[in-house]
mmCIF file of all heavy atoms in Angstrom:
data_model
loop_
_atom_site.group_PDB
_atom_site.id
_atom_site.type_symbol
_atom_site.label_atom_id
_atom_site.label_comp_id
_atom_site.label_asym_id
_atom_site.label_seq_id
_atom_site.Cartn_x
_atom_site.Cartn_y
_atom_site.Cartn_z
ATOM 1 N N ILE A 168 6.086 48.966 69.138
ATOM 2 C CA ILE A 168 6.406 50.393 69.184
ATOM 3 C C ILE A 168 7.331 50.791 68.042
ATOM 4 O O ILE A 168 7.189 51.848 67.428
ATOM 5 C CB ILE A 168 7.064 50.748 70.539
ATOM 6 C CG1 ILE A 168 6.052 50.633 71.687
ATOM 7 C CG2 ILE A 168 7.647 52.153 70.505
ATOM 8 C CD1 ILE A 168 4.936 51.635 71.633
ATOM 9 N N ARG A 169 8.299 49.948 67.742
ATOM 10 C CA ARG A 169 9.289 50.292 66.714
ATOM 11 C C ARG A 169 8.720 50.170 65.304
ATOM 12 O O ARG A 169 8.899 51.050 64.465
ATOM 13 C CB ARG A 169 10.526 49.392 66.849
ATOM 14 C CG ARG A 169 11.425 49.749 68.023
ATOM 15 C CD ARG A 169 12.576 48.760 68.118
ATOM 16 N NE ARG A 169 13.522 49.123 69.159
ATOM 17 C CZ ARG A 169 14.562 49.911 68.998
ATOM 18 N NH1 ARG A 169 14.790 50.451 67.811
ATOM 19 N NH2 ARG A 169 15.376 50.176 69.997
ATOM 20 N N SER A 170 8.021 49.060 65.037
ATOM 21 C CA SER A 170 7.564 48.780 63.675
ATOM 22 C C SER A 170 6.247 49.475 63.353
ATOM 23 O O SER A 170 6.015 49.894 62.221
ATOM 24 C CB SER A 170 7.398 47.271 63.470
ATOM 25 O OG SER A 170 8.619 46.609 63.666
ATOM 26 N N GLY A 171 5.373 49.579 64.333
ATOM 27 C CA GLY A 171 4.079 50.193 64.105
ATOM 28 C C GLY A 171 2.960 49.176 64.062
ATOM 29 O O GLY A 171 3.172 47.965 64.151
ATOM 30 N N SER A 172 1.750 49.682 63.884
ATOM 31 C CA SER A 172 0.562 48.853 64.053
ATOM 32 C C SER A 172 -0.251 48.659 62.776
ATOM 33 O O SER A 172 -1.322 48.059 62.815
ATOM 34 C CB SER A 172 -0.339 49.498 65.123
ATOM 35 O OG SER A 172 -0.666 50.834 64.767
ATOM 36 N N PHE A 173 0.251 49.149 61.641
ATOM 37 C CA PHE A 173 -0.484 48.938 60.401
ATOM 38 C C PHE A 173 -0.381 47.471 59.978
ATOM 39 O O PHE A 173 0.700 46.876 60.053
ATOM 40 C CB PHE A 173 0.063 49.829 59.292
ATOM 41 C CG PHE A 173 -0.423 51.254 59.376
ATOM 42 C CD1 PHE A 173 0.281 52.206 60.096
ATOM 43 C CD2 PHE A 173 -1.599 51.634 58.744
ATOM 44 C CE1 PHE A 173 -0.165 53.513 60.191
ATOM 45 C CE2 PHE A 173 -2.060 52.945 58.828
ATOM 46 C CZ PHE A 173 -1.344 53.883 59.553
ATOM 47 N N PRO A 174 -1.477 46.873 59.523
ATOM 48 C CA PRO A 174 -1.441 45.457 59.140
ATOM 49 C C PRO A 174 -0.364 45.125 58.112
ATOM 50 O O PRO A 174 0.330 44.113 58.248
ATOM 51 C CB PRO A 174 -2.851 45.214 58.573
ATOM 52 C CG PRO A 174 -3.715 46.192 59.310
ATOM 53 C CD PRO A 174 -2.851 47.426 59.477
ATOM 54 N N ALA A 175 -0.197 45.975 57.096
ATOM 55 C CA ALA A 175 0.769 45.669 56.030
ATOM 56 C C ALA A 175 2.183 45.542 56.568
ATOM 57 O O ALA A 175 2.970 44.710 56.096
ATOM 58 C CB ALA A 175 0.714 46.751 54.951
ATOM 59 N N VAL A 176 2.532 46.360 57.553
ATOM 60 C CA VAL A 176 3.872 46.329 58.135
ATOM 61 C C VAL A 176 4.125 45.003 58.828
ATOM 62 O O VAL A 176 5.227 44.444 58.781
ATOM 63 C CB VAL A 176 4.042 47.490 59.145
ATOM 64 C CG1 VAL A 176 5.341 47.352 59.922
ATOM 65 C CG2 VAL A 176 4.002 48.821 58.416
ATOM 66 N N ASN A 177 3.095 44.467 59.453
ATOM 67 C CA ASN A 177 3.262 43.275 60.274
ATOM 68 C C ASN A 177 3.095 41.975 59.511
ATOM 69 O O ASN A 177 3.066 40.894 60.104
ATOM 70 C CB ASN A 177 2.294 43.351 61.462
ATOM 71 C CG ASN A 177 2.727 44.417 62.455
ATOM 72 O OD1 ASN A 177 3.746 44.282 63.118
ATOM 73 N ND2 ASN A 177 1.970 45.507 62.527
ATOM 74 N N LEU A 178 3.020 42.092 58.176
ATOM 75 C CA LEU A 178 3.054 40.902 57.335
ATOM 76 C C LEU A 178 4.481 40.460 57.042
ATOM 77 O O LEU A 178 4.699 39.372 56.512
ATOM 78 C CB LEU A 178 2.331 41.177 56.004
ATOM 79 C CG LEU A 178 0.805 41.300 56.070
ATOM 80 C CD1 LEU A 178 0.259 41.793 54.737
ATOM 81 C CD2 LEU A 178 0.173 39.961 56.445
ATOM 82 N N VAL A 179 5.462 41.303 57.362
ATOM 83 C CA VAL A 179 6.860 41.014 57.039
ATOM 84 C C VAL A 179 7.710 41.043 58.302
ATOM 85 O O VAL A 179 7.293 41.572 59.336
ATOM 86 C CB VAL A 179 7.413 42.018 56.001
ATOM 87 C CG1 VAL A 179 6.608 41.953 54.716
ATOM 88 C CG2 VAL A 179 7.397 43.433 56.554
#
Side-chain angles (χ1 to χ4, degrees):
I168 291 294
R169 285 177 175 271
S170 300
S172 56
F173 281 90
V176 171
N177 289 292
L178 288 171
V179 300

